[in-house]
Amino acid sequence: EEQEKWRALEEIVSVMVENHHPELTVKQVIQKLLSGGIGSIDPHTVLLNKEDLGILRQQSQGQFGGIGIQFEKTGGEDDGAYGGIRITKVFENTPSAKAGLKKGDIITDIVVPGEKGPEKKTVKEIMINGSTALLVGEKGTVATFYLSRDGGVPIRFEIERAVITVPTVETVSLRGGSAGYLKLTRFSGTTPQQ
């Protein structure tokens, strides 16, 4: 009975790859099935690939090499975002802030290393492979991508990565400064100092 269940899963994966998504490998289909299955059981749990786990570990330390944005993945043409990365926050005093990136901008394409040199790939193509880690990297290296603002034609950006310290504590003053509160946005290695 157990073997029958595994054979059924193997058949589903084969059909998905051969008939519906030939651009995916068997490993990628299995990763997506596991990720979706886990997410449907517990919406607070996410299955991360090796690259995204590395990024999460860097961010939980409070510092990482990057361009200084938070983002969410967008659906596609249905929501006017063309399938990309919507910037949800641009951190102050970061390369992205200095370059003029804004909340709501959509990253549509990222330039990635290819066999014959740099190649422009859509965010959708990159996400099929499971990661948007290409925006994170060593300080001093360059992230090259295309960004659309208000549905306009995407514009090419080249931004040098820097060490980004993610603020985890926000303060809000009330009553003219006589009262206030602290908002803890996440835990990281730099939270106690902040």
Side-chain angles (χ1 to χ4, degrees):
E1 191 174 311
E2 283 295 314
Q3 286 183 339
E4 194 173 306
K5 290 177 186 176
W6 286 113
R7 268 184 266 166
L9 180 60
E10 189 177 325
E11 187 177 331
I12 290 168
V13 169
S14 293
V15 168
M16 291 295 291
V17 171
E18 292 171 16
N19 299 329
H20 301 290
H21 295 283
E23 75 278 10
L24 297 176
T25 65
V26 169
K27 183 177 180 180
Q28 290 168 332
V29 170
I30 291 170
Q31 175 80 16
K32 291 184 178 301
L33 285 171
L34 290 172
S35 181
I38 289 171
S40 69
I41 294 168
D42 180 0
H44 305 292
T45 302
V46 177
L47 181 65
L48 299 174
N49 63 30
K50 188 176 181 178
E51 290 172 330
D52 287 337
L53 178 60
I55 291 169
L56 180 64
R57 285 184 175 149
Q58 283 180 332
Q59 290 176 344
S60 66
Q61 293 173 0
Q63 292 185 327
F64 61 95
I67 61 172
I69 61 171
Q70 280 184 340
F71 61 84
E72 64 186 5
K73 297 172 185 175
T74 65
E77 292 181 24
D78 297 352
D79 66 3
Y82 312 109
I85 298 170
R86 180 179 289 115
I87 297 174
T88 57
K89 184 171 191 159
V90 178
F91 294 109
E92 293 179 22
N93 301 315
T94 63
S96 290
K98 292 172 187 163
L101 273 58
K102 297 180 180 179
K103 178 180 178 180
D105 287 346
I106 306 291
I107 296 174
T108 58
D109 304 274
I110 300 176
V111 176
V112 300
E115 290 179 20
K116 298 179 181 178
E119 298 177 4
K120 180 179 169 185
K121 298 249 184 194
T122 66
V123 169
K124 182 177 180 180
E125 288 175 292
I126 293 166
M127 287 184 188
I128 284 172
N129 294 324
S131 180
T132 53
L134 297 165
L135 295 173
V136 176
E138 295 292 320
K139 174 186 173 185
T141 60
V142 175
T144 305
F145 56 90
Y146 290 78
L147 182 139
S148 174
R149 181 169 291 154
D150 300 323
V153 175
I155 300 168
R156 182 181 171 111
F157 279 81
E158 292 184 6
I159 298 180
E160 187 175 315
R161 295 177 183 95
V163 174
I164 306 297
T165 301
V166 179
T168 60
V169 180
E170 296 176 6
T171 59
V172 177
S173 293
L174 303 170
R175 298 183 181 186
S178 64
Y181 67 90
L182 298 174
K183 178 181 175 184
L184 188 60
T185 59
R186 67 172 64 162
F187 292 102
S188 78
T190 61
T191 300
Q193 292 84 10
Q194 292 182 35

